[in-house]
Amino acid sequence: QVQLVESGGGLVQPGGSLRLSCTASGIFFRINDMGWYRQVPGKERELVAGITSDGSTNYADSVKGRFTISRDNAKNTMYLQMNSLKPEDTAGYYCNARIMPIRYAVDNDYWGRGTQVTVSP
C-alpha cells in the first residue's frame, strides 16, 4: 500500500524558516507530479507549489521568491524549503503525489495526513 508521510512542520517566528519533507513508501512503478498544498480551517485547500517528474516547478504567487520546492527521485522524497515565513503562512501543509502503480497504468492520486506550520511571534 502506498503512503505519503510529511515531516518538518512546527512553530516558527515571523521571518524564520522551515523545511518540509514528504516521503512515499510502498510498491509502485514511478512517482509523477508532486505538490504541496495548504489549508486553514474554513477555507479550501490551495496549491502552494508543484513539481513534475523532470523537475519543472510552479508556485502560488503568495510564496514566490520565499518557498522552494524540490525532489529527490532516488529517495522518493519531495521537499519544501520555506523562508521569510509570515503569519499568513500558518496552515496545515499536505503532500500530494500522482503515482503510477505499474508500467503503463493510470496514475493514482495520494495525499499525506498533513503537518502543521504555525508562524507566530
Side-chain angles (χ1 to χ4, degrees):
Q1 184 174 356
V2 175
Q3 288 188 318
L4 299 179
V5 178
E6 303 100 333
S7 62
L11 173 64
V12 64
Q13 293 186 342
S17 298
L18 283 175
R19 189 192 195 205
L20 305 184
S21 298
C22 169
T23 299
S25 63
I27 299 174
F28 48 84
F29 178 70
R30 185 174 68 214
I31 303 173
N32 289 317
D33 294 351
M34 302 184 79
W36 288 99
Y37 290 73
R38 66 187 181 188
Q39 187 172 25
V40 297
K43 292 190 175 181
E44 291 192 357
R45 192 169 292 187
E46 64 173 1
L47 176 67
V48 176
I51 186 167
T52 64
S53 57
D54 63 0
S56 298
T57 60
N58 64 286
Y59 296 91
D61 288 343
S62 59
V63 307
K64 282 180 181 177
R66 300 188 297 122
F67 291 9
T68 302
I69 189 171
S70 61
R71 62 191 286 173
D72 184 336
N73 291 331
K75 295 181 178 180
N76 296 326
T77 299
M78 173 179 63
Y79 306 96
L80 186 67
Q81 178 65 43
M82 304 185 294
N83 299 328
S84 303
L85 282 160
K86 304 175 180 180
E88 51 263 43
D89 295 318
T90 296
Y93 283 71
Y94 298 86
C95 167
N96 173 258
R98 299 194 59 78
I99 298 177
M100 184 181 291
I102 58 175
R103 193 180 182 110
Y104 305 125
V106 175
D107 290 352
N108 293 324
D109 195 43
Y110 294 94
W111 290 90
R113 299 182 66 177
T115 185
Q116 178 67 30
V117 171
T118 302
V119 185
S120 179

